[in-house]
Amino acid sequence: MSKLKILYAGSPIASAIVLRNLIEESKKADFEIVGVLTNPPASRGRHKELIPTEVAQCAEKNGIQVFFFDHLKEEARNALAPLGADLMICFDYGKIFGPKFLALFPLGGINLHPSMLPKYRGCTPVPAAILNGDESLGISVQKLALKTDEGDILARAQVPLSGDETTQSLMDGDGKTSVVTSEGTKLLIHLLRAVKNDGGSFALPEAEPQSGESSYTPFIKKDDGVIDWNKDAAEIDRQIRAYTPWPLSSTECNGTKLLILKGFVSDKKSDKAPGTVLPYQKSTGIEIACGNGTVYVATELQWQAKKAMDYKSFMNGARNFIDSVLG
């Protein structure tokens, strides 16, 4: 009996973790990854060396052919057609698939999306969930449609959030597993096991149309990370966690950019102007006055072009920091 042939599309760390999991599962299952579609190598570091995406690196380690194109037009279709893939699985690839491209795959394409669709359609669903203070994170597997994230739902799961997660911890975790990659892999494997095989003719399980109120997430810009200390400390905390690892959250101190990397909301109150650095608490962190009399406690900080430091190390070299006003 023939195996289900899959083209995998993705680029960053989280997508590479899912790819690795699927490769391991394929060794004992009736499917195989016949090729990987990813973004072109990008220049990184001081020497601008071209580095393949994490998905490309994972594929190459496992002897899987890698493809990348600037545009998914005729050249791409002609290169991928000989693979004979029955299905495309996509997770965080970043390009739009047109009708001619999707027609390459008899079963079409499916997409792993970290939200309870139709909530948080678009490219930044995990930061959106953190920014909004959601108590849970949805994960959906949808059929790829021509309109962004409007495909029918094949599978979904929901995981609770404790309120201290970052986008990085939910998506990338420790580089080996995370909430999204673990739950997403489970959904995909369960779905692939449910694919019907009638003498080499495959069929996906029945999908359900999306229902409920839809919402869309925007592209995140670098300036979105600038902290407005007039906001409530809880809102600032959500921002810092949502924008980790990018674009990170920053403020200014006497004309120098300062990143606030980690911290927590204090139960204390302050009558100081928002952004004022309060008397130093060695046992907890650096307290900063916020809007509505609330207080945020910074525990990890980083001056521009310097290394990140815990609050105690930071204070050892930060003269006149107490009573300064950030912003």
PDB file of all heavy atoms in Angstrom, residues 26-38:
ATOM      1  N   SER A  26       6.876   9.721  10.905  1.00  0.00           N
ATOM      2  CA  SER A  26       6.791   9.090   9.589  1.00  0.00           C
ATOM      3  C   SER A  26       7.554   7.773   9.512  1.00  0.00           C
ATOM      4  O   SER A  26       7.271   6.938   8.651  1.00  0.00           O
ATOM      5  CB  SER A  26       7.320  10.047   8.512  1.00  0.00           C
ATOM      6  OG  SER A  26       8.731  10.197   8.596  1.00  0.00           O
ATOM      7  N   LYS A  27       8.503   7.573  10.420  1.00  0.00           N
ATOM      8  CA  LYS A  27       9.287   6.340  10.420  1.00  0.00           C
ATOM      9  C   LYS A  27       8.446   5.126  10.805  1.00  0.00           C
ATOM     10  O   LYS A  27       8.817   3.991  10.525  1.00  0.00           O
ATOM     11  CB  LYS A  27      10.480   6.471  11.371  1.00  0.00           C
ATOM     12  CG  LYS A  27      11.489   7.544  10.943  1.00  0.00           C
ATOM     13  CD  LYS A  27      12.578   7.725  11.986  1.00  0.00           C
ATOM     14  CE  LYS A  27      13.547   8.833  11.575  1.00  0.00           C
ATOM     15  NZ  LYS A  27      14.594   9.064  12.612  1.00  0.00           N
ATOM     16  N   LYS A  28       7.308   5.381  11.437  1.00  0.00           N
ATOM     17  CA  LYS A  28       6.446   4.278  11.867  1.00  0.00           C
ATOM     18  C   LYS A  28       5.009   4.446  11.371  1.00  0.00           C
ATOM     19  O   LYS A  28       4.101   3.776  11.853  1.00  0.00           O
ATOM     20  CB  LYS A  28       6.444   4.187  13.398  1.00  0.00           C
ATOM     21  CG  LYS A  28       6.055   5.485  14.103  1.00  0.00           C
ATOM     22  CD  LYS A  28       6.200   5.371  15.611  1.00  0.00           C
ATOM     23  CE  LYS A  28       5.855   6.696  16.283  1.00  0.00           C
ATOM     24  NZ  LYS A  28       6.025   6.659  17.749  1.00  0.00           N
ATOM     25  N   ALA A  29       4.802   5.368  10.420  1.00  0.00           N
ATOM     26  CA  ALA A  29       3.450   5.663   9.942  1.00  0.00           C
ATOM     27  C   ALA A  29       3.388   5.534   8.421  1.00  0.00           C
ATOM     28  O   ALA A  29       4.398   5.329   7.751  1.00  0.00           O
ATOM     29  CB  ALA A  29       3.040   7.066  10.373  1.00  0.00           C
ATOM     30  N   ASP A  30       2.183   5.690   7.889  1.00  0.00           N
ATOM     31  CA  ASP A  30       1.961   5.529   6.453  1.00  0.00           C
ATOM     32  C   ASP A  30       1.982   6.867   5.724  1.00  0.00           C
ATOM     33  O   ASP A  30       1.131   7.153   4.877  1.00  0.00           O
ATOM     34  CB  ASP A  30       0.621   4.821   6.203  1.00  0.00           C
ATOM     35  CG  ASP A  30       0.652   3.366   6.639  1.00  0.00           C
ATOM     36  OD1 ASP A  30       1.730   2.749   6.548  1.00  0.00           O
ATOM     37  OD2 ASP A  30      -0.393   2.859   7.067  1.00  0.00           O
ATOM     38  N   PHE A  31       2.950   7.721   6.074  1.00  0.00           N
ATOM     39  CA  PHE A  31       3.156   8.947   5.319  1.00  0.00           C
ATOM     40  C   PHE A  31       4.643   9.261   5.272  1.00  0.00           C
ATOM     41  O   PHE A  31       5.426   8.747   6.077  1.00  0.00           O
ATOM     42  CB  PHE A  31       2.368  10.120   5.916  1.00  0.00           C
ATOM     43  CG  PHE A  31       2.870  10.600   7.258  1.00  0.00           C
ATOM     44  CD1 PHE A  31       3.901  11.528   7.358  1.00  0.00           C
ATOM     45  CD2 PHE A  31       2.304  10.130   8.440  1.00  0.00           C
ATOM     46  CE1 PHE A  31       4.346  11.976   8.587  1.00  0.00           C
ATOM     47  CE2 PHE A  31       2.745  10.574   9.671  1.00  0.00           C
ATOM     48  CZ  PHE A  31       3.777  11.492   9.742  1.00  0.00           C
ATOM     49  N   GLU A  32       5.047  10.088   4.332  1.00  0.00           N
ATOM     50  CA  GLU A  32       6.440  10.490   4.218  1.00  0.00           C
ATOM     51  C   GLU A  32       6.538  11.939   3.765  1.00  0.00           C
ATOM     52  O   GLU A  32       5.679  12.427   3.013  1.00  0.00           O
ATOM     53  CB  GLU A  32       7.195   9.587   3.233  1.00  0.00           C
ATOM     54  CG  GLU A  32       6.633   9.566   1.821  1.00  0.00           C
ATOM     55  CD  GLU A  32       7.425   8.667   0.881  1.00  0.00           C
ATOM     56  OE1 GLU A  32       8.643   8.588   1.051  1.00  0.00           O
ATOM     57  OE2 GLU A  32       6.812   8.053  -0.009  1.00  0.00           O
ATOM     58  N   ILE A  33       7.548  12.634   4.264  1.00  0.00           N
ATOM     59  CA  ILE A  33       7.813  14.005   3.850  1.00  0.00           C
ATOM     60  C   ILE A  33       8.725  13.933   2.625  1.00  0.00           C
ATOM     61  O   ILE A  33       9.889  13.527   2.735  1.00  0.00           O
ATOM     62  CB  ILE A  33       8.494  14.813   4.968  1.00  0.00           C
ATOM     63  CG1 ILE A  33       7.766  14.656   6.305  1.00  0.00           C
ATOM     64  CG2 ILE A  33       8.602  16.284   4.563  1.00  0.00           C
ATOM     65  CD1 ILE A  33       6.386  15.220   6.350  1.00  0.00           C
ATOM     66  N   VAL A  34       8.206  14.310   1.468  1.00  0.00           N
ATOM     67  CA  VAL A  34       8.967  14.156   0.226  1.00  0.00           C
ATOM     68  C   VAL A  34       9.710  15.426  -0.163  1.00  0.00           C
ATOM     69  O   VAL A  34      10.538  15.420  -1.074  1.00  0.00           O
ATOM     70  CB  VAL A  34       8.053  13.702  -0.923  1.00  0.00           C
ATOM     71  CG1 VAL A  34       7.503  12.320  -0.638  1.00  0.00           C
ATOM     72  CG2 VAL A  34       6.922  14.706  -1.170  1.00  0.00           C
ATOM     73  N   GLY A  35       9.414  16.525   0.497  1.00  0.00           N
ATOM     74  CA  GLY A  35      10.098  17.772   0.209  1.00  0.00           C
ATOM     75  C   GLY A  35       9.701  18.845   1.200  1.00  0.00           C
ATOM     76  O   GLY A  35       8.690  18.723   1.898  1.00  0.00           O
ATOM     77  N   VAL A  36      10.525  19.881   1.265  1.00  0.00           N
ATOM     78  CA  VAL A  36      10.274  20.997   2.187  1.00  0.00           C
ATOM     79  C   VAL A  36      10.352  22.301   1.414  1.00  0.00           C
ATOM     80  O   VAL A  36      11.285  22.537   0.640  1.00  0.00           O
ATOM     81  CB  VAL A  36      11.289  20.984   3.344  1.00  0.00           C
ATOM     82  CG1 VAL A  36      11.400  22.352   3.981  1.00  0.00           C
ATOM     83  CG2 VAL A  36      10.884  19.957   4.385  1.00  0.00           C
ATOM     84  N   LEU A  37       9.364  23.152   1.625  1.00  0.00           N
ATOM     85  CA  LEU A  37       9.306  24.479   1.035  1.00  0.00           C
ATOM     86  C   LEU A  37       9.550  25.490   2.141  1.00  0.00           C
ATOM     87  O   LEU A  37       8.854  25.486   3.164  1.00  0.00           O
ATOM     88  CB  LEU A  37       7.935  24.702   0.399  1.00  0.00           C
ATOM     89  CG  LEU A  37       7.648  26.052  -0.249  1.00  0.00           C
ATOM     90  CD1 LEU A  37       8.586  26.308  -1.414  1.00  0.00           C
ATOM     91  CD2 LEU A  37       6.196  26.114  -0.713  1.00  0.00           C
ATOM     92  N   THR A  38      10.528  26.358   1.960  1.00  0.00           N
ATOM     93  CA  THR A  38      10.879  27.296   3.013  1.00  0.00           C
ATOM     94  C   THR A  38      11.345  28.607   2.410  1.00  0.00           C
ATOM     95  O   THR A  38      11.451  28.743   1.183  1.00  0.00           O
ATOM     96  CB  THR A  38      11.968  26.690   3.925  1.00  0.00           C
ATOM     97  OG1 THR A  38      12.145  27.500   5.084  1.00  0.00           O
ATOM     98  CG2 THR A  38      13.297  26.558   3.195  1.00  0.00           C
TER      99      THR A  38
END
